[in-house]
Amino acid sequence: MKRFFTSESVTEGHPDKICDQISDAIVDAILEEDPMGRVAAETTVNTGYAMVMGEISTSCYIDIQKIARQVICDIGYDKSEYGYDGKVCAILTAIDEQSSDIAMGVDKALEYKEGTLRDEKDILEETGAGDQGLMFGFACNETPELMPLPISLAHKLARRLTEIRKDGTLKYLRPDGKTQVTVEYDGDKVKRIDTIVISTQHDPDVDIPQIRKDLIQHVIRPVVDGSLIDRETKYYINPTGRFVIGGPHGDSGLTGRKIIVDTYGGYARHGGGAFSGKDPTKVDRSATYAARYVAKNLVAAGLADKCEIQIAYAIGVAKPVSVLVDSFGTGKISDERLSEIVEKNFDLRPAAIIRNLGLRRPIYRQVAAYGHFGRTDIEVPWEKLDKVEKLKKEL
């Protein structure tokens, strides 16, 4: 059965991604000085300003204005002609402490308060979930990084667009940009690339034919496997004909508004919670990373060709209220048995996730653009495959 699936990515200069990176740079700065700090920071940007707001509880001092300006300039918004300049834009802050009502559930889980710990040694591990909610993780064997091909290619195209801007290959490029890839499937098997869309911000004095020629040569060909492209593949490069006004000058931005870009490009389900700006006690972030870690190890171990994990929590309770495994009929054993294997081999209590994946570290700004999963350009702990050999024995 022929079907088409499309995913998109955006560059680090997209307004929403500027906000994600500022928020995660704040998380990193706090965790570097105070690993036990609590952070829930959101950023919004528009022409001439950035505003950081949220709840932060920490023993350290960080210069939020300095961090925000550095991120904006690192991205490439350091010239007034771009309509947004990190050196001179206004930086506003509205920060409060984390609610004590939330903190009491995170500091001591319900299991601790009721005396239902499995073992006394677990006392230090019984941190409650920072919120209720449901989180999903996914992996499939379409690509070496065990990600769906559409989002994998969209991210690689977006990263390449930024690389050739920053290294000077195409000096007329500006920071804002978007990519999109449509893959044709025959059933569940990748058949070909049907459509590639790239929209990139540029200087006003370059013409569209030149941009289209350059992006095919310097972005698409180095990234996309030529065997997946044929005469019917369509390219839409800056299809509006002009993209000079971009970034916060062209549109407002907000932390957490690109959650599908951050995950699987719509190929798998999403619980709805954003990641950026949150410390790892927030299960929106840490449990979603853990779910990806579980799904990736199951697929890499050959227990399924495609696997989705759902984990759900109650605020202030350490143990998940539910764990679901769905192999979409590709499992080598039943989904019920896969769920038992997950429970046996993975501790999905929040503190155990934080400990086992080493999440109280400044590692978050680097994933605030180009996806949190399937990254081959950086190392992140939720992508490791250290459970594969153990899981193989479960067969």
Side-chain angles (χ1 to χ4, degrees):
M1 179 184 69
K2 181 190 293 189
R3 63 188 184 92
F4 298 86
F5 194 88
T6 302
S7 293
E8 72 158 349
S9 182
V10 297
T11 67
E12 61 196 55
H14 185 280
D16 294 330
K17 277 293 151 198
I18 297 172
C19 297
D20 286 345
Q21 290 167 90
I22 292 172
S23 296
D24 272 340
I26 291 167
V27 174
D28 282 356
I30 289 174
L31 293 181
E32 186 167 16
E33 299 294 328
D34 176 16
M36 302 303 290
R38 301 275 172 79
V39 190
E42 296 183 359
T43 305
T44 183
V45 297
N46 207 333
T47 304
Y49 84 93
M51 180 175 181
V52 180
M53 51 200 157
E55 295 78 44
I56 296 176
S57 298
T58 179
S59 60
C60 70
Y61 169 78
I62 60 167
D63 189 334
I64 290 177
Q65 287 204 15
K66 183 178 179 181
I67 291 169
R69 292 189 192 282
Q70 187 63 57
V71 170
I72 294 165
C73 290
D74 286 348
I75 290 168
Y77 289 110
D78 55 2
K79 299 178 181 178
S80 58
E81 64 194 81
Y82 290 176
Y84 197 67
D85 185 348
K87 299 190 298 296
V88 298
C89 68
I91 308 292
L92 311 176
T93 59
I95 301 296
D96 205 346
E97 280 192 283
Q98 183 186 61
S99 162
S100 58
D101 292 347
I102 295 174
M104 66 186 292
V106 176
D107 294 337
K108 291 182 179 179
L110 184 67
E111 293 93 325
Y112 178 90
K113 297 171 186 175
E114 293 183 342
T116 57
L117 298 178
R118 291 178 291 185
D119 192 297
E120 282 300 314
K121 68 181 181 182
D122 280 346
I123 289 177
L124 294 177
E125 292 302 327
E126 288 300 342
T127 299
D131 201 354
Q132 71 176 50
L134 51 137
M135 298 82 205
F136 288 95
F138 181 80
C140 63
N141 56 14
E142 283 184 20
T143 62
E145 60 270 25
L146 303 183
M147 287 286 285
L149 183 61
I151 189 65
S152 178
L153 285 179
H155 282 324
K156 289 175 181 177
L157 290 168
R159 282 208 311 270
R160 179 64 182 166
L161 197 58
T162 297
E163 287 168 5
I164 63 171
R165 170 176 65 86
K166 289 187 170 182
D167 69 17
T169 300
L170 298 181
K171 298 182 185 299
Y172 58 76
L173 294 181
R174 292 184 176 182
D176 199 356
K178 304 179 80 170
T179 62
Q180 184 173 289
V181 177
T182 302
V183 174
E184 180 183 337
Y185 289 85
D186 183 0
D188 286 331
K189 300 298 181 183
V190 172
K191 185 176 180 181
R192 56 184 288 274
I193 305 297
D194 182 74
T195 307
I196 295 174
V197 182
I198 301 177
S199 294
T200 181
Q201 188 185 13
H202 58 85
D203 289 348
D205 56 354
V206 61
D207 58 46
I208 291 300
Q210 183 66 47
I211 294 174
R212 290 172 178 163
K213 176 184 175 183
D214 288 343
L215 294 198
I216 290 173
Q217 178 183 348
H218 294 289
V219 176
I220 296 174
R221 287 178 181 167
V223 168
V224 181
D225 183 351
S227 66
L228 295 175
I229 294 177
D230 56 28
R231 293 180 180 178
E232 302 301 316
T233 299
K234 299 177 284 293
Y235 302 101
Y236 296 111
I237 297 174
N238 279 26
T240 66
R242 181 178 170 87
F243 187 2
V244 174
I245 299 172
H249 185 47
D251 194 7
S252 62
L254 183 65
T255 298
R257 205 158 57 179
K258 284 289 176 285
I259 58 176
I260 300 302
V261 170
D262 285 342
T263 52
Y264 307 100
Y267 200 97
R269 285 172 283 195
H270 196 296
F275 308 147
S276 292
K278 298 176 181 178
D279 74 82
T281 66
K282 278 70 172 177
V283 283
D284 278 340
R285 170 161 243 160
S286 54
T288 304
Y289 291 167
R292 162 65 177 173
Y293 172 56
V294 173
K296 187 177 182 182
N297 275 270
L298 288 175
V299 171
L303 274 66
D305 296 332
K306 183 188 298 185
C307 185
E308 184 179 76
I309 310 292
Q310 186 201 52
I311 312 172
Y313 294 88
I315 187 169
V317 180
K319 187 178 179 181
V321 298
S322 68
V323 178
L324 173 69
V325 179
D326 187 350
S327 67
F328 306 95
T330 70
K332 304 305 183 282
I333 52 179
S334 70
D335 288 351
E336 182 180 1
R337 176 67 182 128
L338 286 173
S339 295
E340 292 172 358
I341 289 172
V342 169
E343 186 171 354
K344 175 183 175 182
N345 290 278
F346 298 91
D347 190 341
L348 296 174
R349 295 174 298 165
I353 292 170
I354 292 168
R355 177 197 60 196
N356 295 335
L357 295 181
L359 298 182
R360 292 193 188 276
R361 297 179 288 147
I363 57 174
Y364 299 109
R365 180 183 166 187
Q366 62 181 341
V367 292
Y370 314 115
H372 292 243
F373 307 124
R375 297 293 293 268
T376 57
D377 56 319
I378 56 175
E379 289 188 14
V380 287
W382 50 89
E383 292 294 314
K384 63 185 179 180
L385 294 172
D386 58 337
K387 294 281 190 178
V388 169
E389 294 307 315
K390 190 173 183 180
L391 292 173
K392 284 180 179 179
K393 295 177 182 177
E394 297 287 351
L395 287 172

